[in-house]
Amino acid sequence: MPRDHINEITAFLTVARERSFTRAAAELGVTPSALSHTVKGLEERLGLRLLSRTTRNVATTDAGERLLQRMGPLFEQVSAELDSITALRDKPAGTIRITCVDVAIELVFRPKLAEFLRRYPDISVEISMDYAFIDIVAERFDGGVRIGESIERDMVATRIGPDWRFCVVGAPAYFEHRPVPDTPQELGGHNCINMRMATAGGNLRWEFRSPEGEDFTLRVSGQATFSNAMLVLQGALDGLGLGYVPYVLAKPYLDDGRLMEVLSEWCPEYEGYHLYYPSRKLHSPAFAAFVEAMRYRN
């Protein structure tokens, strides 16, 4: 294939993915006008309109979407093959993009990331915090983090963290005016801090396990609702109510007395976090090194 044809297709694929000539031009290191000229040349050579342009956005036509779906994976594979050549170097290089929740950052990545980056100075790591179950392929992430039981079958999963559990916590000042609950059912008389979950279509249900081994969930109510566990934890520390957060986040504050845990015997453990990624994608040496560094070793 002539070089100019490759350049044209690369230009089109970048614009189609970014849905913007400006962002695509910045990624490719060219001007928007030059990029537009290149894409127009491809459209003229094919005799088909590939992109619909407006003053606000860019979208693929039916022909453009077909070309994106057919050629995009092929060019990604070529790019991955070229990246794999870095395996011949002493140190892997490149950028790794990961999507995960804040708990995984605290539990898994923060304890290991500094050493990993010191060991591989040519690798950059971008971590995006998101509670939604996003499509990591469509959003161009190398991998994502979930608990083992929620990973799709077409993904490869590597365990990166120990089993963990939620806990119910409150500030000592909160309990000066409220009784300590003995059972989850008594939470109805408490001011509970909710966490809004994009994946659940509402607030996170608090999950418990009875002494007889029966699992059940409760909807709780209160005056404060936040969008992530760190904010719920901070709300509990501020005395806004009872928070339902991962134990690993609350432990430092339980140890120094700024929080008190209740209902601990009712909180079950969950399978540890897993790093998941597409099984059919050829991964770079940089990503392979990242997976190995984050792997959980009991």
Side-chain angles (χ1 to χ4, degrees):
M1 181 184 296
R3 180 183 295 273
D4 57 341
H5 291 184
I6 295 176
N7 292 339
E8 288 174 349
I9 296 175
T10 300
F12 161 76
L13 292 175
T14 306
V15 174
R17 292 193 184 105
E18 295 293 335
R19 298 186 180 275
S20 165
F21 277 90
T22 301
R23 291 194 296 269
E27 181 176 333
L28 295 174
V30 299
T31 64
S33 60
L35 184 59
S36 178
H37 179 75
T38 301
V39 173
K40 185 177 181 181
L42 176 61
E43 290 177 320
E44 290 176 350
R45 183 165 60 82
L46 296 177
L48 292 168
R49 189 178 182 186
L50 302 175
L51 297 171
S52 295
R53 305 163 175 84
T54 68
T55 56
R56 293 187 177 183
N57 56 40
V58 177
T60 54
T61 63
D62 289 343
E65 186 64 21
R66 179 176 178 179
L67 184 61
L68 174 63
Q69 296 300 323
R70 297 288 183 86
M71 298 299 293
L74 296 178
F75 270 60
E76 287 182 358
Q77 184 174 359
V78 170
S79 178
E81 289 283 359
L82 293 176
D83 288 343
S84 70
I85 299 300
T86 59
L88 301 177
R89 298 170 51 185
D90 292 336
K91 298 179 180 179
T95 298
I96 300 166
R97 300 186 69 235
I98 303 294
T99 176
C100 65
V101 297
D102 49 0
V103 183
I105 296 175
E106 293 295 322
L107 182 62
V108 178
F109 295 136
R110 281 193 61 192
K112 298 181 178 180
L113 194 56
E115 174 59 29
F116 175 78
L117 294 178
R118 280 194 293 268
R119 183 176 180 182
Y120 298 103
D122 295 327
I123 294 179
S124 299
V125 177
E126 176 186 336
I127 298 178
S128 175
M129 193 193 78
D130 198 327
Y131 274 80
F133 286 171
I134 66 172
D135 185 336
I136 62 172
V137 176
E139 297 298 327
R140 302 175 67 185
F141 285 99
D142 294 291
V145 177
R146 294 183 189 172
I147 57 176
E149 61 191 36
S150 63
I151 295 174
E152 299 172 1
R153 293 183 178 180
D154 61 343
M155 295 287 172
V156 175
T158 299
R159 182 162 178 162
I160 58 175
D163 291 345
W164 61 283
R165 67 177 178 90
F166 277 98
C167 63
V168 181
V169 296
Y174 173 83
F175 291 109
E176 291 178 1
H177 308 287
R178 302 268 187 165
V180 174
D182 293 320
T183 68
Q185 287 75 16
E186 295 177 17
L187 292 173
H190 284 267
N191 199 357
C192 298
I193 305 171
N194 271 298
M195 183 167 72
R196 181 75 65 180
M197 295 291 291
T199 55
N203 293 334
L204 174 70
R205 286 177 173 268
W206 292 20
E207 300 183 8
F208 298 101
R209 179 172 295 157
S210 71
E212 294 75 31
E214 179 183 355
D215 292 331
F216 62 96
T217 63
L218 290 178
R219 289 190 181 277
V220 299
S221 60
Q223 295 176 279
T225 301
F226 296 106
S227 61
N228 64 64
M230 294 299 293
L231 293 177
V232 173
L233 177 66
Q234 188 60 57
L237 285 165
D238 293 341
L240 302 184
L242 297 181
Y244 183 71
V245 298
Y247 178 80
V248 65
L249 298 184
K251 187 178 185 306
Y253 307 102
L254 294 170
D255 290 344
D256 66 17
R258 281 187 283 174
L259 287 177
M260 295 172 52
E261 182 180 7
V262 297
L263 304 175
S264 60
E265 67 275 15
W266 294 81
C267 296
E269 284 198 337
Y270 298 95
E271 186 178 359
Y273 280 109
H274 287 65
L275 179 64
Y276 68 96
Y277 41 93
S279 59
R280 298 179 181 178
K281 183 178 179 181
L282 180 63
H283 298 285
S284 69
F287 183 70
F290 182 79
V291 172
E292 189 60 29
M294 300 300 143
R295 185 186 302 277
Y296 176 65
R297 294 172 173 83
N298 193 353

